Amino acid sequence: MGVGLSILLFLFAPILLWYPMYGRAIEGEALPSPIQEGITNVENSLDILDNDTDGEEGKTYKITIEKLGILDAEVRVGAEDLDTSLIQFPGTALPGKIGNSVIFGHSVLPYFYNPKSYKTIFSTLHLLTKGDLIRVEYDGVQYMYRVEGRKLVSPKDYSILSQPSEERELSLVTCVPPGIDLGRLVISAKLLGS
């Protein structure tokens, strides 16, 4: 019985401890963001998106986050299978363009993290902090984004999809605690030199 309890504690401790260790610190950060205040439901937030993707759905590009060991991970615009790539939400801005490129990825328990597996790729996203760099290679051009902040949102808060009218931004989104679908962690970054 002791061995079984130890195994359960070993597996579930990261889930139970994630919020006290990381969540409170993230909630305390002020996030400079293009996200429009007061948008918390699908109907309002999806009206913000320019749903004309100009035929870009299905297009792919690469993202690198050296701090997390993520190198040239594939991002597919408008795809639906997070097990085979990261996914950019359709209708959000393409890299380097005015607006917010919103990219989703999976997370799992830290024990199973592998930066080369799309099933685990965003498990350590919470370790990114202000000033960290994210490189995106799109259409033969490299774009460098600097992390501006991070925040926790409800799974039903679609304001993360809103598009700024003057900034060039990037949002990385995953489930938190890692491997559990209770909330969403959003990392917000801005294009350098824009």
Side-chain angles (χ1 to χ4, degrees):
M1 185 131 117
V3 171
L5 186 59
S6 296
I7 291 171
L8 286 174
L9 186 60
F10 177 76
L11 288 174
F12 291 105
I15 295 169
L16 299 173
L17 295 175
W18 190 90
Y19 184 78
M21 291 176 64
Y22 300 106
R24 289 190 183 158
I26 292 169
E27 281 184 342
E29 292 180 8
L31 175 64
S33 171
I35 298 171
Q36 297 179 8
E37 297 300 321
I39 298 174
T40 56
N41 62 50
V42 180
E43 293 81 18
N44 289 341
S45 63
L46 293 182
D47 289 342
I48 295 167
L49 296 177
D50 173 17
N51 289 320
D52 178 17
T53 57
D54 295 327
E56 299 297 336
E57 220 167 295
K59 196 158 182 106
T60 63
Y61 58 93
K62 304 285 184 190
I63 185 170
T64 296
I65 309 170
E66 289 185 12
K67 180 177 181 176
L68 304 182
I70 299 170
L71 305 173
D72 293 326
E74 184 175 277
V75 180
R76 291 185 186 151
V77 179
E80 295 181 9
D81 186 2
L82 281 170
D83 291 344
T84 59
S85 70
L86 296 169
I87 295 175
Q88 179 179 320
F89 195 84
T92 62
L94 292 167
K97 307 293 183 193
I98 292 176
N100 184 19
S101 305
V102 182
I103 300 172
F104 291 85
H106 273 312
S107 66
V108 297
L109 289 172
Y111 308 121
F112 306 113
Y113 173 63
N114 176 356
K116 295 180 182 178
S117 170
Y118 291 106
K119 295 180 182 182
T120 69
I121 196 164
F122 275 179
S123 298
T124 57
L125 205 59
H126 62 277
L127 299 176
L128 289 177
T129 55
K130 189 172 184 173
D132 289 336
L133 298 176
I134 300 167
R135 187 178 75 235
V136 174
E137 186 175 331
Y138 172 73
D139 231 7
V141 179
Q142 287 194 10
Y143 299 97
M144 192 67 73
Y145 291 85
R146 181 177 22 235
V147 172
E148 294 293 319
R150 53 193 185 161
K151 75 175 190 171
L152 299 175
V153 298
S154 154
K156 295 184 178 185
D157 183 350
Y158 294 94
S159 65
I160 60 174
L161 301 174
S162 65
Q163 299 295 296
S165 60
E166 297 178 9
E167 300 290 334
R168 290 171 170 84
E169 300 180 348
L170 176 72
S171 292
L172 306 178
V173 184
T174 195
C175 297
V176 289
I180 305 295
D181 195 13
L182 297 177
R184 300 288 184 270
L185 170 65
V186 181
I187 302 294
S188 178
K190 287 190 178 181
L191 183 65
L192 291 177
S194 65

